[in-house]
C-alpha cells in the first residue's frame, strides 16, 4: 500500500542547512506513490543543487517566475493549481516573514500567494537556529501564518548545525512524512477521544522472570496511528513492545495486566472509543518473589500457582460510560481455530458491539493480517492486507458505527 498514491505534492525548498533532509523527504514522497514537483529559492540553491532534487523527484526543478518552459509563462499559477498540497521544507525564518507579508518577488512565495486557499493546503516545516525560532518576530509570524490557514508542522529539538542545542531543527523526514500522510487522510473521528491497548502484558514471578506472550503490538499501534490520522485525540496504553510511538499519540507504558487496567480506566472514562487490542495475560503468578528464585541443588522446579487477571475489556464495557452509549467498545479475539464461532461467542461474553477476530499464531509479529468483523448484524471478512491498511478500514468502520450526536 502506498500512502500517497495519486497525490501531487509541490515541495518548496528555502535557504537552510536542513535542505539535506529535504532530499530524503522528496524520496520518501516518491516512494509512497506521490508525484513531486520541486520549487527552490535562490537561497536553497546555496545548500543543495537542482540536479540532486531533479534526480530524486524525476522532474525538472522550478526556480524562477520568468521560466520560459511554461507556455503561458505563469509557473506560479500552473504549479499551484495542480497540487494536492504545497509543503515548504525547510521553511526558513525569512520565508515565514515573506509569507506573512504576502511578498511575491520570487517564484516560491509568488506561488504560495497565488494558491487557491480553500483547495490547496500549505504545510510549513520550519528550520532555524533556536534563538531565531524563539525570537518574538518568528513566533508572531508563526501565529499569523496559522491564523491565515497555513499548517505549521512543528520543529524538532536537539543538536543544531550551528553547534547550539534547542528547538528549531527541522523535523526528520520520516516524521514529516507521517504528519503529512495523516493530514491528507479523511477525518471521520475529528473531535473524538480514542483509547487503545496494545502489545502483551508481562506478569512477573520474581525480579528477573515472568510470563508473557508473542504479541508484537503492531496491530494496536497501527490502530492508534489510524485513529490519529482520522482526527482523534489518541491515548495508547502499551505493554512491553519495541514499536515507535505513532506521531501525535500519547503513550502510556505498562507491564502487567493490573497496571494496564489502572492506566486504562481513567482514560476510558473520558473517551468516545475504546479499542482493546492488547494480548492481556489471563493469569499471573499468584505470588511475586521479591528476590530471584534460586535453583536449589536437587530441589526440582518451583511449583507455580496462578491467579486470574482482571478482564480490562469487560470491566470497561460494563462501566457506566459504555452502558449509557457514550463509549463505543471494540474487542479483539486472537483464536487458534474456528474463528467465526469463537468470535461471536466472545463478543457476547465481553458485551461489546464490535469484535475483531483474527488467528493469533498466524499474525503475531507479522506486518499483515486478515480480520473478521463481528457485530450484531453478522460477520464480514477483511481480506489480507497490511496492518496499517486494515487499521484504517477498521477505524472508518468504527466511525461509521458511532452513535451520531443528538
Ligand atoms: N482482554 C482484556 N483483558 C483480559 C483479557 C482479554 O482486555 N484480561 C481483551 C483483549 O484485549 C481482547 C479481548 O479481551 O480485546 C479478547 O482477548 P482474548 O485473549 O482473545 O480473550 P479471552 O477473554 O482471554 O478468551 P480466551 O483466552 O479464553 O480465548
Amino acid at each position: 500500500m502506498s500512502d500517497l498514491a495519486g497525490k501531487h505534492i509541490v515541495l518548496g525548498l528555502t535557504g537552510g542547512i536542513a535542505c539535506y533532509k529535504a532530499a530524503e523527504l522528496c524520496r520518501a514522497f516518491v516512494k509512497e506513490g506521490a508525484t513531486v514537483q520541486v520549487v527552490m529559492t535562490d537561497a536553497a540553491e546555496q545548500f543543495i543543487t537542482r540536479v540532486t532534487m531533479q534526480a530524486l523527484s524525476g522532474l525538472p526543478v522550478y526556480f524562477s517566475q520568468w521560466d520560459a518552459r511554461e507556455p503561458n509563462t505563469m509557473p506560479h499559477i500552473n504549479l499551484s493549481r495542480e497540487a494536492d498540497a504545497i509543503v515548504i521544507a525547510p521553511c526558513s525564518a525569512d520565508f515565514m516573514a515573506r509569507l506573512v507579508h504576502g511578498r511575491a518577488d520570487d517564484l516560491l512565495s509568488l506561488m504560495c500567494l497565488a494558491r487557491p486557499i480553500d483547495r490547496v493546503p500549505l504545510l510549513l516545516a520550519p528550520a532555524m537556529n533556536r534563538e531565531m525560532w524563539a525570537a518574538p518576530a518568528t513566533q508572531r509570524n508563526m501565529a499569523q501564518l496559522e491564523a491565515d490557514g497555513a499548517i505549521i508542522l512543528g520543529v524538532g529539538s536537539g543538536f543544531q548545525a550551528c553547534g547550539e542545542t534547542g528547538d528549531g531543527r527541522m523535523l526528520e523526514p520520516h516524521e514529516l512524512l507521517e504528519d503529512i500522510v495523516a493530514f491528507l487522510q479523511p477525518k471521520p473521528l475529528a473531535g473524538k477521544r480514542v483509547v487503545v491497548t496494545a502489545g502483551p502484558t508481562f506478569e512477573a514471578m520474581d525480579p528477573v522472570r515472568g510470563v508473557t506472550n508473542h504479541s508484537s503490538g503492531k496491530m494496536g499501534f497501527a490502530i492508534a496511528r489510524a485513529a490519529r490520522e482520522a482526527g482523534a485525540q489518541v491515548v495508547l496504553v502499551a505493554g512491553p513492545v519495541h514499536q515507535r510511538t505513532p506521531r501525535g499519540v500519547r503513550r502510556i507504558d505498562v507491564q502487567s495486566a493490573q497496571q494496564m487496567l489502572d492506566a486504562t480506566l481513567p482514560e476510558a472514562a473520558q473517551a468516545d472509543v475504546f479499542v482493546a487490542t492488547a494480548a492481556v495475560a489471563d493469569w499471573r503468578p499468584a505470588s511475586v518473589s521479591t528476590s530471584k528464585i534460586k535453583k536449589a541443588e536437587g530441589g526440582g522446579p518451583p511449583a507455580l500457582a496462578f491467579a486470574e487477571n482482571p478482564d480490562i475489556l469487560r470491566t470497561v464495557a460494563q462501566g457506566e460510560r459504555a452502558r449509557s452509549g457514550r463509549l463505543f467498545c471494540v474487542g479483539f479475539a486472537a483464536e487458534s481455530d474456528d474463528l467465526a464461532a469463537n468470535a461471536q461467542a466472545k463478543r457476547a461474553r465481553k458485551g461489546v458491539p464490535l469484535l475483531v477476530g483474527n488467528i493469533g499464531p498466524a499474525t503475531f509479529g507479522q506486518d499483515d493480517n486478515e480480520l473478521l468483523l463481528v457485530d450484531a448484524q453478522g460477520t464480514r471478512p477483511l481480506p489480507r492486507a497490511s496492518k496499517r491498511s486494515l487499521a484504517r478500514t477498521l477505524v472508518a468502520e468504527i466511525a461509521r458505527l458511532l452513535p451520531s450526536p443528538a
Side-chain angles (χ1 to χ4, degrees), residues 9 88 153 214 290 367:
I9 295 177
I88 310 293
L153 293 164
H214 285 308
T290 49
D367 286 324

Side-chain angles (χ1 to χ4, degrees), residues 197-199 201 257 260-261 274-283 308-316 330-336 342 346 349-350 352 355-356 358:
T197 62
T201 61
M260 191 172 269
L261 177 72
F274 174 54
V275 188
T277 58
V280 184
D282 290 321
W283 306 284
E308 192 165 337
N309 267 332
D311 188 319
I312 301 167
L313 177 58
R314 201 159 55 188
T315 308
V316 173
V330 183
F332 264 69
E335 304 296 340
S336 58
N342 276 321
K346 197 164 281 183
R349 202 166 69 239
K350 302 274 180 179
V352 294
L355 193 110
V356 186
N358 64 160

Side-chain angles (χ1 to χ4, degrees), residues 13-17 19 40-48 92 94-95 106:
L13 275 64
T14 69
I17 187 61
C19 277
M40 291 169 65
T41 63
D42 284 349
E45 296 201 42
Q46 298 291 322
F47 294 92
I48 193 165
S92 66
D94 180 66
F95 197 74
D106 78 297

